[in-house]
Amino acid sequence: MTSLRTSTIGFPRTGPKREMKMALEKYWGKKITESELLEVSDKVALQSLRDQEAAGVDLIGVGDHTLYDHVLDWSERFGLTCKRVREAKLTGLEAYFTQARGRDGIPALDMTKYFDSNYHYMVPEVVADTVPRGNFAPFLAHVQLLRSKAAKADAVVPIVLGPVTLGKLCKYAEGRTAAALVKDLVPLYKELLGELSRAGVKEVQLHEPWLVMSDAETEEVRSLTTAAYKELGGCGGPAVNLCVHFDSLSPAVYSYVVELPVKRVTLDFCRSKAMVEIVEKQGFPATKELGAGVVDGRNVWRNEAAAGGILQRIRKAVQDDARVVVAPSCSLQFVPYDLDHEEEGSIPAEVRAKLAFAKQKLEVLTKLASSDSSSTAATWIGEDNLSGVEGAKGVTPEMYTRSEPFKERRGKQLAELPDFPTTTIGSFPQTAEIRKLRREWKEGKVGKAAYEEQIDKEIERVVGIQKEIGLDVFVHGEAERSDMVEYFAQKLDGMLLTRHGWVQSYGSRYVRPPVIHGAVVRKGGAAMTVREFAVCQKASGAVPVKGMLTGPVTILNWSFCRVDVPRAEQAVEVALAVREEVADLEAAGCRVVQVDEAALRERMPLKKEESEKYLEWAVACFRLSTCGARPSTQVVTHMCYSTFEDIIGRIDGMDADVLTIENSRSAGEMVAALSSYGYARDLGAGVYDIHSPVVPTMDDMAARLQGLLSLLPPSRTWVNPDCGLKTRKWDEVIPSLKNMVTAAHKLRESHVSA
């Protein structure tokens, strides 16, 4: 067999050493100019190009680089700037970052998860007077810059978010539809392809991940897609590589996608065995090339044997190596940049040998393309379910159920609290001094006793601030935690942390997902959070303090999981560790435990039939972690920045006493859905956007609270921000929380007088 060509369809936008994060935060802090920010951005994009060239990639996807979010980029390039920004007559980066972050009087766009990934995108808004128009000059200049610096200009392949996916990702006012917008966008896409062709571009990638969604089987999406690509494929522009990722295509969608007038179709062969089976059964057109997405872009394991086995089957099905191009399963933005940045000895050698970050994925890519692997190793490990897992882990059916139902136990919980009780979601701002302290402790420059003494002082300081503000339920502030998952990974066997394995969550928010490599249990059976809780409760006196835990599904979904056992089995292990921690907190006097499941929706399969299986075991694992709590212990969970309206029944089935949610950016959509469902538990719908530097007014928050009274009585309507406050500054947080508490007092007074 001959050597195959290789292609990439996206690369980390962070820079090798988080250069983009640092530049953005300096720009927002007015420490660098716009031109200096753009200079850093160009350097990061050029470094990405050079790294892919050095690896020997034949066709390098470019243009996915972004200052904040690629969906926001494309909404701007097609003239979909939101109305409130247009009315403020903002332009350029001022308009761009206002949509991303908001400003006084102008709320930011809604933010939600990008398909089933851990990345968040800004949701474009299409209203009555939205008129698409092309603004391609910056993108074309960026492509030309990279072409001019590339060793081979024709190896540079621009990445463009496809019209169907862009249309489907938008939010629509009454009277506007995705179908109508896509039809309006197609002429502009033709214009863009023409501009790229005139610039000498020979090939372009159009990314259409929406085609893996269940509704891609509908006549509406099929006809919309075929009509759009009939025009784009016949416009005389560059050859089109249609990239579809995040899941397998269904057989019905595959049948029409492979007939679209494009040069190549690149598919995701890593998410399930279905995709390669469909290609084998239905065949592949002899007139097209197949992009074989066999290098997993969503996990950090090399897994070369499995990838080689899939590739072998693909080559056999296509029967022409000249028409097979080896690719990652999706953009490599979802994995860290470079494993070589991890110091020798920081990761056990036997684990490190099995890992691959983005640069190492390129090595795997080119190795697969140049080898004649005859491996038939499977990459799938069976269905995710709890069958057979419980008994092996000592789990019994009664461990999934609270000892009393909600209506009976609710009256035993925190009876001393007033109506509209106030609290926060967990974290408080982390100062440079706190971050330095944690870093020096990890490096051995500060001893354990000295470290804990400083952390305790910070907890006591945070308690003092909460007393001054007048909150009703306190938190310890999480000064000891750099991340809500990373912290627990440090306390659990079977998980390891990297030092430089950063991945973009959104904008300048980067996270370091832990790597699960073995059985997960608490180290030595020791408590993970009790010490800090006890310090906080002592300083707080009679005011209740939350025990702050991250839920098992979020720990799993915000980690790079094992690929040798089902995720459900890993989730049970984590759930049992959390269950033990809940018991230890109760033993220390904790009366309210928050178990965050911010990532319940992430990694949920995109197809309905598979998502139901996932939700069954995910909800069961949350219950396993919390149902050992006493009836008098209030269990809180938190969810944010995703769409949950279609799974509210499952959320209710988690049997938490209080649900706290993001609400300020999503215009009350989740609250309306909960009301329609008849949700009857306590609710804390966030009253202000913690991702914006804007200090919300008391009147605005009071109005939001008033709107909640149609759903729940005041005694069960909690008052809290959208999310944790770690990324904000104290001079933003203190006035915001004071206004929030004042709003709650105003509602209490009006409720009493009524």
Side-chain angles (χ1 to χ4, degrees):
M1 291 185 180
T2 59
S3 179
L4 306 178
R5 288 170 295 156
T6 55
S7 170
T8 54
I9 57 176
F11 206 67
R13 299 94 69 99
T14 58
K17 298 182 178 179
R18 294 188 295 160
E19 289 87 347
M20 283 306 303
K21 172 185 176 66
M22 298 172 191
L24 277 170
E25 293 178 352
K26 287 179 181 178
Y27 174 74
W28 293 331
K30 302 186 184 304
K31 295 178 181 178
I32 63 173
T33 64
E34 178 177 327
S35 62
E36 289 172 318
L37 171 63
L38 296 177
E39 181 181 357
V40 172
S41 181
D42 285 344
K43 287 181 178 178
V44 168
L46 286 167
Q47 184 62 54
S48 170
L49 173 65
R50 294 188 187 103
D51 287 337
Q52 294 174 82
E53 285 182 327
V57 177
D58 298 307
L59 299 168
I60 300 171
V62 303
D64 57 322
H65 182 72
T66 181
L67 292 176
Y68 199 94
D69 167 46
H70 67 282
V71 178
L72 178 59
D73 292 348
W74 285 107
S75 69
E76 284 291 280
R77 289 165 186 160
F78 284 103
L80 304 182
T81 304
C82 73
K83 183 173 183 177
R84 54 190 174 275
V85 170
R86 285 188 278 116
E87 290 178 339
K89 301 189 184 306
L90 302 179
T91 59
L93 288 189
E94 188 176 20
Y96 182 83
F97 286 126
T98 297
Q99 291 177 95
R101 307 177 73 230
R103 60 186 295 176
D104 288 332
I106 307 179
L109 293 172
D110 192 8
M111 182 170 68
T112 194
K113 303 296 192 294
Y114 191 61
F115 293 89
D116 64 339
S117 75
N118 296 341
Y119 177 77
H120 304 67
Y121 77 97
M122 310 308 300
V123 183
E125 297 174 357
V126 178
V127 297
D129 65 348
T130 301
V131 179
R133 55 177 58 85
N135 177 29
F136 305 132
F139 177 70
L140 293 169
H142 178 71
V143 171
Q144 282 296 76
L145 170 67
L146 296 175
R147 281 173 55 84
S148 70
K149 299 293 185 181
K152 297 179 181 178
D154 288 347
V156 173
V157 182
I159 295 173
V160 178
L161 186 63
V164 176
T165 296
L166 178 57
K168 283 291 192 174
L169 292 178
C170 294
K171 178 189 293 185
Y172 293 90
E174 186 175 356
R176 298 303 302 264
T177 65
L181 179 68
V182 172
K183 291 176 183 177
D184 290 341
L185 288 173
V186 167
L188 296 175
Y189 273 87
K190 291 171 67 175
E191 178 186 329
L192 173 59
L193 293 180
E195 292 282 359
L196 289 168
S197 181
R198 286 186 286 276
V201 173
K202 298 294 190 296
E203 181 176 313
V204 63
Q205 295 178 14
L206 289 178
H207 286 203
E208 291 285 13
W210 192 269
L211 296 179
V212 305
M213 303 295 286
S214 294
D215 79 342
E217 295 188 15
T218 63
E219 176 58 26
E220 178 191 11
V221 175
R222 186 199 66 77
S223 60
L224 195 63
T225 304
T226 53
Y229 280 87
K230 181 179 180 181
E231 290 200 47
L232 298 180
C235 71
V240 172
N241 176 12
L242 179 65
C243 301
V244 187
H245 35 268
F246 299 141
D247 204 344
S248 302
L249 293 177
S250 72
V253 176
Y254 177 81
S255 66
Y256 75 75
V257 165
V258 297
E259 296 302 326
L260 296 174
V262 298
K263 175 184 179 180
R264 184 181 312 121
V265 178
T266 297
L267 302 175
D268 184 339
F269 289 90
C270 291
R271 297 308 296 277
S272 79
K273 61 185 178 181
M275 194 68 261
V276 71
E277 291 176 348
I278 290 168
V279 173
E280 290 172 330
K281 182 177 181 179
Q282 296 187 210
F284 189 78
T287 57
K288 288 185 174 61
E289 296 178 0
L290 177 59
V294 297
V295 177
D296 192 351
R298 299 284 294 275
N299 214 326
V300 293
W301 302 101
R302 296 185 72 91
N303 220 16
E304 292 175 38
I310 304 167
L311 183 58
Q312 181 72 7
R313 293 172 65 180
I314 293 168
R315 296 168 83 167
K316 184 177 180 180
V318 175
Q319 296 184 337
D320 181 1
D321 280 357
R323 295 190 295 113
V324 177
V325 179
V326 188
S329 62
C330 61
S331 170
L332 295 176
Q333 74 179 83
F334 306 105
V335 296
Y337 202 101
D338 188 358
L339 182 62
D340 289 343
H341 290 164
E342 302 299 320
E343 293 82 356
E344 286 296 327
S346 62
I347 299 174
E350 66 276 12
V351 176
R352 187 181 186 118
K354 300 175 183 178
L355 298 178
F357 292 176
K359 284 186 68 174
Q360 290 70 40
K361 295 281 185 182
L362 300 177
E363 297 171 7
V364 174
L365 184 72
T366 55
K367 180 178 178 181
L368 287 169
S370 62
S371 69
D372 291 336
S373 171
S374 58
S375 169
T376 57
T379 189
W380 307 283
I381 49 177
E383 297 293 331
D384 265 330
N385 58 63
L386 298 180
S387 177
V389 175
E390 293 100 327
K393 304 294 181 183
V395 178
T396 56
E398 57 269 21
M399 293 172 70
Y400 293 103
T401 306
R402 296 285 293 269
S403 60
E404 293 182 9
F406 174 76
K407 289 183 179 180
E408 293 181 17
R409 68 181 186 258
R410 179 61 184 90
K412 302 176 181 180
Q413 299 169 2
L414 304 176
E416 73 272 24
L417 294 184
D419 289 347
F420 301 103
T422 58
T423 189
T424 61
I425 299 301
S427 61
F428 273 114
Q430 299 207 344
T431 62
E433 292 77 14
I434 286 296
R435 291 194 294 270
K436 179 183 178 184
L437 174 66
R438 280 203 311 265
R439 184 172 61 252
E440 291 182 343
W441 177 61
K442 289 179 181 178
E443 294 173 351
K445 297 177 181 178
V446 174
K448 181 179 179 182
Y451 169 76
E452 291 182 347
E453 180 182 1
Q454 292 303 310
I455 291 294
D456 293 353
K457 287 181 179 179
E458 179 65 11
I459 292 172
E460 291 164 358
R461 187 178 77 87
V462 166
V463 168
I465 291 171
Q466 292 174 93
K467 286 180 178 178
E468 180 185 352
I469 291 170
L471 292 168
D472 297 308
V473 176
F474 289 178
V475 297
H476 77 282
E478 303 182 14
E480 79 285 5
R481 306 182 191 184
S482 59
D483 177 86
M484 63 185 289
V485 172
E486 179 181 293
Y487 174 79
F488 289 94
Q490 294 173 316
K491 305 284 185 176
L492 294 166
D493 283 331
M495 301 184 72
L496 63 82
L497 298 174
T498 65
R499 289 202 62 184
H500 306 288
W502 297 100
V503 176
Q504 184 187 30
S505 176
Y506 62 87
S508 68
R509 170 69 170 149
Y510 297 178
V511 295
R512 284 181 297 188
V515 178
I516 302 178
H517 63 93
V520 178
V521 295
R522 294 195 302 177
K523 289 185 176 179
M528 301 180 284
T529 64
V530 170
R531 197 196 73 81
E532 291 77 16
F533 162 79
V535 171
C536 187
Q537 188 64 77
K538 181 178 179 181
S540 302
V543 179
V545 171
K546 292 185 193 179
M548 296 300 306
L549 305 176
T550 301
V553 182
T554 295
I555 289 177
L556 187 76
N557 286 345
W558 281 355
S559 299
F560 294 118
C561 300
R562 297 171 66 179
V563 293
D564 58 335
V565 294
R567 285 196 300 154
E569 182 174 335
Q570 297 172 67
V572 167
E573 292 175 351
V574 181
L576 290 172
V578 175
R579 185 184 181 97
E580 292 171 357
E581 191 69 15
V582 170
D584 285 346
L585 283 166
E586 285 185 314
C590 185
R591 295 189 292 151
V592 52
V593 179
Q594 181 168 313
V595 182
D596 288 343
E597 284 293 14
L600 180 72
R601 185 81 193 223
E602 297 174 26
R603 300 307 302 268
M604 185 175 87
L606 298 172
K607 292 184 174 61
K608 182 69 173 176
E609 60 273 17
E610 296 301 322
S611 68
E612 289 300 323
K613 297 176 186 177
Y614 163 83
L615 287 168
E616 184 174 348
W617 64 256
V619 169
C621 285
F622 177 85
R623 293 176 67 116
L624 178 60
S625 70
T626 58
C627 282
R630 302 164 185 158
S632 58
T633 299
Q634 186 172 82
V635 173
V636 182
T637 192
H638 174 66
M639 298 179 180
C640 60
Y641 298 102
S642 192
T643 53
F644 298 105
E645 291 87 342
D646 58 334
I647 60 170
I648 288 176
R650 294 289 192 173
I651 292 172
D652 194 26
M654 294 167 70
D655 200 22
D657 301 304
V658 183
L659 169 66
T660 62
I661 59 171
E662 176 274 327
N663 184 55
S664 62
R665 286 198 180 194
S666 56
E669 294 170 352
M670 178 68 166
V671 172
L674 287 165
S675 179
S676 177
Y677 171 82
Y679 188 78
R681 303 171 192 272
D682 287 23
L683 178 67
V687 294
Y688 82 87
D689 179 11
I690 65 89
H691 293 293
S692 172
V694 175
V695 174
T697 66
M698 182 277 291
D699 288 339
D700 180 64
M701 288 188 276
R704 290 181 183 275
L705 288 170
Q706 188 66 47
L708 297 176
L709 294 181
S710 62
L711 176 61
L712 290 171
S715 62
R716 287 166 49 203
T717 301
W718 286 76
V719 184
N720 49 259
D722 272 344
C723 202
L725 300 167
K726 181 179 73 172
T727 60
R728 299 265 55 90
K729 298 177 181 178
W730 278 111
D731 59 4
E732 299 162 352
V733 166
I734 291 175
S736 296
L737 291 180
K738 285 183 176 179
N739 288 348
M740 186 186 82
V741 169
T742 303
H745 288 173
K746 179 179 179 180
L747 266 290
R748 289 173 194 166
E749 293 168 4
S750 63
H751 177 69
V752 170
S753 62

